[in-house]
Amino acid sequence: MMERTDEETGELVREWLQRYGVSIIVGLVLAVGAVGGYQWWQSAQLKQASEQSALLNQLGDAVEANQAQETQRIYAEMDQSAQTIGLAQLLMAKEAATNNDLARAKTFLGEAVNAKDPLVVDSARWQLANLEMRDGQYDAALSELQALKGSAYANQVALLEAVIYQQQGNLERAAEAYRSIQGDAAMLAQQLAAVEGELATATNPPTQ
């Protein structure tokens, strides 16, 4: 076996470093930079989350105080891509509805329906259904309620559907919806009796 002298070994190392050393050093610099960049990104994310949460709290206080201009100012400062924006849109819809601006309330709720949080989405759909019913847009309200089947709002959905069908004059569907509800038995029995009474009268009108 041929042995290399220290001088030959040193020469091989120098050649190897000349050939590969720069790329290794660059790789190490990039690796260190990536770690540092990720830590900076984490820190920035935490800072942004903290700032958005603080703005959300301020927005909630302004909505409760019914300070319309202040709510709009705070909302304008919020990051539209932040996780909290869906909750902010629910709050803005509440402020608009409180001031009878149903069109603006529906706009905010329509945006909140696209939130990442499923609970925010369900809440937006539920409030939108109520506003649509309040505005006489019964088909639109029923469409939103259909999307809430199986959600945490399932029992309330059946009740609102019953009310909508009753207001539409669709007494058979109203009675069916009332029968499906689990809740205050006495209240539901009274409502169901009233609807069935209307239905019986409509089916068998009194003779002259």
Side-chain angles (χ1 to χ4, degrees):
M1 186 173 74
M2 186 175 67
E3 295 183 0
R4 296 184 183 277
T5 64
D6 291 342
E7 185 177 346
E8 290 173 331
T9 301
E11 184 62 29
L12 285 174
V13 170
R14 281 192 295 274
E15 289 179 4
W16 187 86
L17 286 174
Q18 286 176 352
R19 184 175 300 178
Y20 303 108
V22 173
S23 61
I24 290 174
I25 291 171
V26 170
L28 287 172
V29 169
L30 290 176
V32 171
V35 172
Y38 177 69
Q39 290 176 338
W40 174 87
W41 179 83
Q42 277 190 317
S43 177
Q45 289 292 102
L46 288 173
K47 181 180 178 182
Q48 182 201 43
S50 177
E51 290 173 349
Q52 294 302 309
S53 295
L55 285 172
L56 186 65
N57 286 332
Q58 293 174 28
L59 182 63
D61 291 341
V63 169
E64 288 302 315
N66 197 21
Q67 298 172 335
Q69 290 185 341
E70 183 67 3
T71 60
Q72 293 174 30
R73 183 193 67 77
I74 296 170
Y75 183 76
E77 292 183 16
M78 300 192 74
D79 183 351
Q80 295 294 308
S81 64
Q83 289 282 354
T84 52
I85 197 62
L87 291 170
Q89 288 160 346
L90 291 181
L91 287 170
M92 292 299 292
K94 178 181 178 181
E95 179 272 320
T98 299
N99 291 290
N100 294 315
D101 191 346
L102 300 189
R104 193 162 64 91
K106 288 180 186 179
T107 298
F108 281 117
L109 292 174
E111 293 171 352
V113 164
N114 298 314
K116 297 177 182 178
D117 188 331
L119 290 177
V120 171
V121 172
D122 288 347
S123 295
R125 288 194 183 283
W126 172 250
Q127 293 180 38
L128 195 52
N130 277 272
L131 286 184
E132 295 288 13
M133 185 191 73
R134 177 178 166 183
D135 209 21
Q137 302 297 317
Y138 298 126
D139 289 340
L142 290 171
S143 177
E144 294 297 340
L145 292 176
Q146 189 64 34
L148 287 169
K149 300 287 187 180
S151 73
Y153 288 91
N155 207 42
Q156 293 97 315
V157 164
L159 179 57
L160 195 58
E161 281 182 334
V163 172
I164 290 172
Y165 289 134
Q166 191 172 357
Q167 291 185 2
Q168 283 182 316
N170 191 340
L171 300 178
E172 291 184 0
R173 293 294 298 274
E176 180 183 337
Y178 278 125
R179 292 190 192 103
S180 71
I181 300 170
Q182 300 175 358
D184 188 335
M187 183 274 291
L188 294 174
Q190 185 178 9
Q191 286 295 115
L192 180 57
V195 171
E196 288 178 335
E198 288 184 56
L199 186 57
T201 302
T203 305
N204 303 297
T207 56
Q208 296 293 333

